[in-house]
Amino acid sequence: MKTILLLITLIMASLAVSSCTNDESDTDFEFLSPDEEQQAALKTEQENVN
């Protein structure tokens, strides 16, 4: 019984480790200025009204 639980634990741990991604090449961030942020908020607000 302990070996089965150990195998299940190892399988779950390997799935958790393999599912983690670390895309180091994707370092581009989208920086919004306050004006752009306000325009985006107004646009979404107008879409919600319609």
Side-chain angles (χ1 to χ4, degrees):
M1 184 69 173
K2 287 183 181 180
T3 56
I4 294 172
L5 291 175
L6 179 63
L7 288 174
I8 292 172
T9 304
L10 289 175
I11 291 170
M12 296 299 278
S14 64
L15 287 174
V17 170
S18 65
S19 68
C20 294
T21 59
N22 187 10
D23 297 332
E24 293 181 7
S25 61
D26 188 21
T27 58
D28 296 332
F29 295 106
E30 182 179 346
F31 294 105
L32 293 176
S33 68
D35 294 332
E36 292 172 335
E37 187 175 348
Q38 187 176 14
Q39 289 174 359
L42 288 174
K43 183 178 178 183
T44 56
E45 184 177 310
Q46 289 175 352
E47 289 174 356
N48 288 338
V49 170
N50 294 336

